[in-house]
Amino acid sequence: MKENMEIDTHDITGHLKDIDRVTLEQVTKTEQEALWDELVRNYHYLGYQKMIGQRIKYLVRSGERVIGAISYNRPVQRVGARDTYIGWTEAKRQELLKYVVSNNRYLILPWVHVRYLASHVLALSLKQVQKDWESRFGVRPVLAETFIDISQYRGTCYKAANWIYVGETRGFGKVGKGYVYHGNQKAVYLYELDHDWRKKLELPSQATHSRLTPSQIRQQEERRMLLGKPDWDERILASCGLDEQAVAGLGDDLADYLQAFVGSCVNSKQADLLAVYVKGLFSDLDRKSIEPIALRYSDKTGVRNLQMFFNQGKVSQESLLRIHQAHVIELLGEADGMANVDGSDFPKKGKHSVGVARQHCGILGKTDNCQAGVFAGYSSSQGYALLDRRLYVPKKWFGEDYRKRYTQCGVPDDLTFKTKNELALDMLKDCRDRGAPFRWIGCDSAFGADREFLAGLPADCCYFADVRENQLVFPEWPEMILPEQQRGRRPRYPRPSINPVRVSSIAQDATIPWETTCLGEGSKGPIYTRTKRLRIVRTEINQGGSKCIRPIDEVWLYI
């Protein structure tokens, strides 16, 4: 250390009340900043390299003697545990992050051993940094954050100073524009500099987490350990394109993701069971039903617990769905997004599952005993995900023959029969009402051939719907004219001036050329498609006295 930076290294021991008054000296952009840099470089376990951006540094003094150093700088851009605790959206985070400061260095010099000094210095710095940060940068912070290396420290002084533990980092570090997994997890602590910070930032009044007890912290850690077991299904990993670095942090990703759903559970035991089941679905088990999942990740009694969780657990399905939809909208939502509806069926052997019946089963390609579901998905340039689901309950389930089974299965009394297409329209409306942004709607011919379904879609959306090959269309808009009287009764109703044609005849019409288009690069090279695209006129059967086909509207036809 340079001569002009020499400091007294004699031991200081005892109690806080036994030493000279402790004060903080702000040294940012002063002659004393070099002393701060040198002390932290030599005695802090992380060392010191030049800080970039907003920062405030303090020397800690007892009387005239330097006994430590502490600093605050701009907050970390993304921290899962912190962001979940605050409960802000991505847009809100970008807007409000400036109201958070990060305690990035804290040092009590190694020859200073004074009881309660560390928590006392933290309290002093928190009072001071609010004023100094506002004076220097024009923003008064309302939250402070810090990160404790749990492999070396327990964060005792932060707990004593009433900082709040909110979780752990996932063990990733920023390298260039990306993140690399290093496995060095840190505990995340927050301090509320302003008790009304949620109100001032216009955030929801209730915290996503309450202050965690030691028991809750232990449960979170056990849940994280369970989800981190490296017995993943290789087929799932391959389909997601995850590399070794991403897989190493997958357990933490799952833990952080599931934490948002804990509030939908009645108690922490249910949250544990939810984590067990999700882990089982991602595992390499051959059978991913309740019993094998419970036997692997719990004891034998866990089978009964997991069964009761699904059969009788009072978990709010609506709450789970809303949280999931909020995640999808935040991560993938775009004004030019696309909503998709489709059906999917599940073969069944028994007769006592809700809605099970002999009906068309798409997976089997024939009529068989199954349940039928209708699903809504979302896609954008950012990715794709499911948004909603409905179980189709066949009409016969609402008859007297099924009344006993209806009651045994716990079907709500107010449930009414709806077709699959009506269920799809309900989901699209609900997704719109909950803020899902989309301009396009996609569906197969089970929906696209239903004129009432297409008419019920949001008026400000464009649809891209399959039609069947025997769908009748007009190549151009026809005139509706009264046909000439041949004999007998005089015609009363107009008819189209040209005959409609099947979509299949347009595909076979050699006078309408095919266009070759490159859709993009695939794993085996460019992907080409041959298409025909032309304007046609949709048709419907006039429900009046004529029962003839008439034009509805002009649309694009893609083949």
Side-chain angles (χ1 to χ4, degrees):
M1 193 175 294
K2 298 175 183 177
E3 277 190 356
N4 62 346
M5 294 184 184
E6 287 184 2
I7 61 172
D8 189 346
T9 61
H10 290 94
D11 287 350
I12 301 178
T13 59
H15 195 282
L16 182 61
K17 64 183 179 180
D18 299 327
I19 66 174
D20 292 336
R21 181 169 174 264
V22 177
T23 58
L24 299 180
E25 178 189 1
Q26 186 189 156
V27 297
T28 313
K29 295 187 178 180
T30 70
E31 292 181 356
Q32 293 295 309
E33 184 172 6
L35 174 58
W36 189 100
D37 295 349
E38 195 68 17
L39 288 174
V40 174
R41 185 178 294 113
N42 287 331
Y43 297 111
H44 195 281
Y45 81 103
L46 291 176
Y48 175 70
Q49 294 178 344
K50 185 176 180 181
M51 289 187 202
I52 304 298
Q54 298 171 326
R55 61 196 181 277
I56 291 181
K57 302 176 182 178
Y58 298 100
L59 283 175
V60 184
R61 294 184 182 273
S62 174
E64 294 299 320
R65 188 173 174 185
V66 175
I67 59 173
I70 190 169
S71 67
Y72 291 84
N73 71 346
R74 61 185 181 181
V76 178
Q77 282 290 317
R78 284 185 174 83
V79 182
R82 177 201 67 194
D83 296 341
T84 301
Y85 178 85
I86 294 173
W88 51 20
T89 62
E90 176 69 13
K92 276 286 187 182
R93 182 188 62 78
Q94 294 178 10
E95 176 190 349
L96 303 177
L97 195 61
K98 62 185 177 183
Y99 294 101
V100 183
V101 292
S102 183
N103 171 216
N104 65 322
R105 291 291 188 275
Y106 184 23
L107 168 69
I108 299 295
L109 292 170
W111 50 85
V112 179
H113 306 281
V114 177
R115 293 190 68 186
Y116 310 123
L117 173 64
S119 57
H120 179 66
V121 171
L122 275 174
L124 288 177
S125 70
L126 290 167
K127 289 180 182 178
Q128 191 65 33
V129 74
Q130 255 194 318
K131 301 174 186 175
D132 294 343
W133 198 273
E134 183 177 22
S135 175
R136 183 176 287 272
F137 305 115
V139 176
R140 188 175 181 84
V142 297
L143 282 175
E145 68 182 18
T146 196
F147 305 91
I148 307 297
D149 188 338
I150 56 180
S151 66
Q152 301 192 51
Y153 302 101
R154 292 183 295 175
T156 305
C157 66
Y158 287 90
K159 296 173 187 175
N162 292 318
W163 288 62
I164 304 167
Y165 170 85
V166 297
E168 296 174 7
T169 64
R170 296 180 294 171
F172 285 82
K174 191 166 177 59
V175 177
K177 295 184 178 180
Y179 290 84
V180 175
Y181 181 73
H182 50 66
N184 187 23
Q185 292 174 256
K186 294 183 178 181
V188 183
Y189 285 83
L190 295 179
Y191 188 88
E192 298 176 350
L193 296 167
D194 192 317
H195 293 303
D196 293 329
W197 64 276
R198 287 188 174 276
K199 184 177 180 180
K200 290 183 177 180
L201 298 185
E202 298 180 353
L203 291 168
S205 57
Q206 74 281 5
T208 307
H209 302 310
S210 59
R211 197 177 292 252
L212 297 177
T213 65
S215 174
Q216 290 171 322
I217 294 172
R218 187 164 56 253
Q219 285 177 321
Q220 274 195 3
E221 291 173 347
E222 290 173 354
R223 211 176 292 148
R224 194 175 290 272
M225 289 175 62
L226 165 73
L227 293 168
K229 287 185 178 180
D231 54 354
W232 307 104
D233 188 326
E234 292 185 358
R235 295 167 299 178
I236 294 178
L237 301 182
S239 67
C240 295
L242 298 177
D243 57 23
E244 291 184 6
Q245 290 180 340
V247 171
L250 187 54
D252 290 325
D253 288 341
L254 265 181
D256 291 340
Y257 173 73
L258 290 177
Q259 189 61 37
F261 297 89
V262 170
S264 303
C265 300
V266 175
N267 52 47
S268 59
K269 183 61 179 176
Q270 286 194 344
D272 292 339
L273 292 170
L274 179 63
V276 164
Y277 187 68
V278 171
K279 174 61 179 174
L281 296 179
F282 276 91
S283 73
D284 56 5
L285 286 167
D286 291 331
R287 292 179 59 248
K288 297 182 181 180
S289 55
I290 288 176
E291 184 173 352
I293 289 175
L295 289 175
R296 173 176 286 190
Y297 298 109
S298 185
D299 53 26
K300 292 183 179 179
T301 60
V303 176
R304 178 69 173 165
N305 290 337
L306 198 57
Q307 287 173 336
M308 292 181 66
F309 172 64
F310 276 95
N311 292 333
Q312 303 174 24
K314 297 186 182 299
V315 177
S316 172
Q317 298 288 321
E318 184 66 17
S319 174
L320 292 174
L321 181 64
R322 284 183 178 275
I323 293 169
H324 167 72
Q325 289 177 337
H327 281 168
V328 173
I329 293 168
E330 178 182 350
L331 294 172
L332 308 182
E334 290 181 346
D336 205 33
M338 184 172 191
N340 306 276
V341 290
D342 199 4
S344 187
D345 311 313
F346 309 92
K348 291 284 184 179
K349 296 296 183 184
K351 299 180 179 179
H352 296 283
S353 298
V354 180
V356 71
R358 283 191 61 80
Q359 54 193 325
H360 179 75
C361 181
I363 293 176
L364 300 177
K366 61 179 182 179
T367 298
D368 207 334
N369 200 58
C370 67
Q371 285 177 302
V374 187
F375 297 84
Y378 185 83
S379 55
S380 71
S381 65
Q382 303 301 312
Y384 54 89
L386 283 173
L387 264 183
D388 204 348
R389 74 286 176 267
R390 295 284 193 279
L391 178 67
Y392 170 71
V393 181
K395 200 166 188 176
K396 62 183 177 182
W397 265 75
F398 296 88
E400 287 302 318
D401 293 345
Y402 278 76
R403 179 55 56 185
K404 183 178 179 180
R405 197 183 310 180
Y406 193 94
T407 304
Q408 289 174 340
C409 291
V411 179
D413 291 333
D414 58 353
L415 185 69
T416 58
F417 172 74
K418 289 189 176 183
T419 66
K420 295 178 182 179
N421 293 10
E422 288 172 335
L423 293 173
L425 282 175
D426 286 348
M427 285 191 291
L428 290 171
K429 181 181 183 301
D430 287 350
C431 291
R432 252 307 172 78
D433 291 344
R434 292 177 182 179
F438 54 85
R439 193 168 72 89
W440 298 88
I441 296 172
C443 58
D444 66 15
S445 60
F447 304 91
D450 182 349
R451 295 180 180 87
E452 290 186 7
F453 172 81
L454 296 179
L457 295 176
D460 60 341
C461 288
C462 301
Y463 60 78
F464 202 73
D466 277 357
V467 293
R468 299 189 176 100
E469 63 175 12
N470 62 355
Q471 175 77 45
L472 291 175
V473 299
F474 290 111
E476 58 188 47
W477 197 276
E479 291 184 56
M480 298 299 291
I481 57 177
L482 282 173
E484 294 182 6
Q485 183 176 3
Q486 301 294 329
R487 57 183 178 177
R489 184 181 301 174
R490 184 177 179 178
R492 297 171 53 193
Y493 301 102
R495 295 183 177 275
S497 57
I498 57 176
N499 292 324
V501 298
R502 293 188 176 193
V503 168
S504 58
S505 68
I506 297 177
Q508 297 162 5
D509 188 344
T511 64
I512 304 174
W514 293 99
E515 298 178 5
T516 301
T517 305
C518 180
L519 297 180
E521 287 291 330
S523 59
K524 298 180 180 178
I527 302 173
Y528 291 99
T529 179
R530 290 197 309 143
T531 61
K532 290 187 180 187
R533 181 189 57 157
L534 65 157
R535 296 290 281 177
I536 52 92
V537 178
R538 287 197 310 139
T539 65
E540 71 173 2
I541 297 176
N542 187 3
Q543 297 304 313
S546 67
K547 300 294 182 183
C548 73
I549 291 178
R550 66 186 183 95
I552 309 176
D553 55 12
E554 198 172 7
V555 295
W556 284 102
L557 173 67
Y558 287 80
I559 302 179

